[in-house]
Amino acid sequence: MLTFYIDDIIKKALLEDINYIDVAADNLLGDDHISKAKFLAKASGVVCGIDVALRVFELLGNFKFQKYMADGDRVQQGDIIAEIEGPTKLLLKGERTALNLIQHMSGIATMTAEAADLIKGTGATVTDTRKTLPGLRALQKYAVTCGGGKNHRFNLSDAAMLKDNHIDACGSITKAVEILRSRIGHTVKIEVETRDLDEVKEALSTGCEIIMLDNMDCETMKKAVEMTDGKALLEASGNITAETIRAVAETGVDIISIGALTHSVKAFDISLKINK
């Protein structure tokens, strides 16, 4: 990711956290007070966002770093992810922002890895969605790749996805695809959301590249796979959980998209501890 993109996120977060002074740190410590600290994993999972977290301190002042892990590495509880040394006052000012970012990104990577592990051996892949937090989409989607998943479209400009509201507004799948085909360039793919097998059949007849199977049960998805016979990629979507994902993958779908990877993820437990 571009440094200026990351820096913009960090600066906004720091400005939100520090109005004009840190009442505690600025009154307790002098500029010459130096400390060492370590990022410590307090759970087992996949770490992500190390460089983003360390960049917080680079923007604040003069720090030295030692990294022991890389984004995408699996960590165990008690592992030291990285060490940092620099002005204690600035270390305390950046602590929360750095932890917020690395914990959130590691949570996404860990949840993605768990989903990817559950469908190993099938032909399906796990992807994210556009259900991301405003301003953090690139970080969140990067974290998905660190967990072994793939990215869905980044934004509305990447591909044409016809969801139920598009289709209902146009009158039919066929009409919507025909209008799009007459106006978009040859490099743009079309994905159609379908709600039942009749809509799958209609979508298939349009020659669209991807068909989404929205909130269908596994038996219906198996029939959709047979009906499609490889003529389009099939994406399963809607309320897919750790308990159901394996059965969904075994229907033969190509893609399983999970919005919860980015909109409902639990932060991964990491602490920043100053050496006594």
Side-chain angles (χ1 to χ4, degrees), residues 3-226:
T3 302
F4 70 80
Y5 170 85
I6 297 171
D7 287 358
D8 188 49
I9 291 172
I10 293 171
K11 287 175 182 177
K12 286 179 180 177
L14 287 171
L15 284 170
E16 184 177 56
D17 209 31
I18 308 169
N19 192 347
Y20 59 100
I21 63 167
D22 176 341
V23 178
D26 284 330
N27 285 298
L28 283 174
L29 303 162
D31 293 337
D32 58 348
H33 194 289
I34 303 296
S35 290
K36 292 182 180 179
K38 54 182 176 288
F39 285 91
L40 187 68
K42 299 180 74 177
S44 298
V46 177
V47 69
C48 180
I50 299 170
D51 289 332
V52 176
L54 296 181
R55 181 63 179 163
V56 171
F57 299 104
E58 286 185 320
L59 290 175
L60 285 171
N62 185 25
F63 284 87
K64 298 176 183 178
F65 309 107
Q66 180 66 53
K67 293 188 291 183
Y68 302 109
M69 303 284 180
D71 285 352
D73 283 353
R74 294 188 181 245
V75 298
Q76 301 299 317
Q77 183 177 2
D79 283 349
I80 297 174
I81 297 166
E83 289 185 307
I84 180 172
E85 181 180 358
T88 311
K89 187 159 63 173
L90 299 180
L91 186 63
L92 294 168
K93 289 183 179 183
E95 175 185 2
R96 185 71 266 153
T97 295
L99 285 174
N100 283 346
L101 291 167
I102 193 172
Q103 286 178 328
H104 182 61
M105 293 174 72
S106 296
I108 292 171
T110 297
M111 186 175 180
T112 305
E114 289 168 354
D117 287 345
L118 287 169
I119 62 171
K120 277 184 179 176
T122 70
T125 57
V126 174
T127 74
D128 49 36
T129 69
R130 284 171 43 246
K131 295 175 183 178
T132 55
L133 297 176
L136 295 182
R137 182 169 293 174
L139 295 184
Q140 291 183 304
K141 282 183 171 284
Y142 166 70
V144 168
T145 65
C146 287
K150 292 186 178 180
N151 295 146
H152 210 295
R153 60 179 178 163
F154 190 84
N155 57 38
L156 294 173
S157 301
D158 283 346
M161 181 186 288
L162 295 174
K163 299 181 75 68
D164 53 358
N165 284 335
H166 296 91
I167 295 162
D168 292 342
C170 287
S172 72
I173 290 171
T174 301
K175 186 175 180 182
V177 174
E178 284 176 352
I179 293 170
L180 274 178
R181 288 286 186 211
S182 70
R183 296 177 179 175
I184 61 176
H186 67 284
T187 62
V188 182
K189 290 184 178 181
I190 297 176
E191 177 169 359
V192 176
E193 178 182 280
T194 60
R195 294 164 281 195
D196 54 45
L197 292 177
D198 287 337
E199 289 190 346
V200 173
K201 184 177 180 181
E202 184 181 358
L204 195 58
S205 71
T206 68
C208 65
E209 289 85 0
I210 311 159
I211 298 174
M212 178 190 288
L213 310 177
D214 185 46
N215 283 298
M216 294 185 189
D217 59 45
C218 288
E219 215 41 56
T220 304
M221 284 192 276
K222 285 179 184 177
K223 292 177 182 176
V225 170
E226 293 171 4

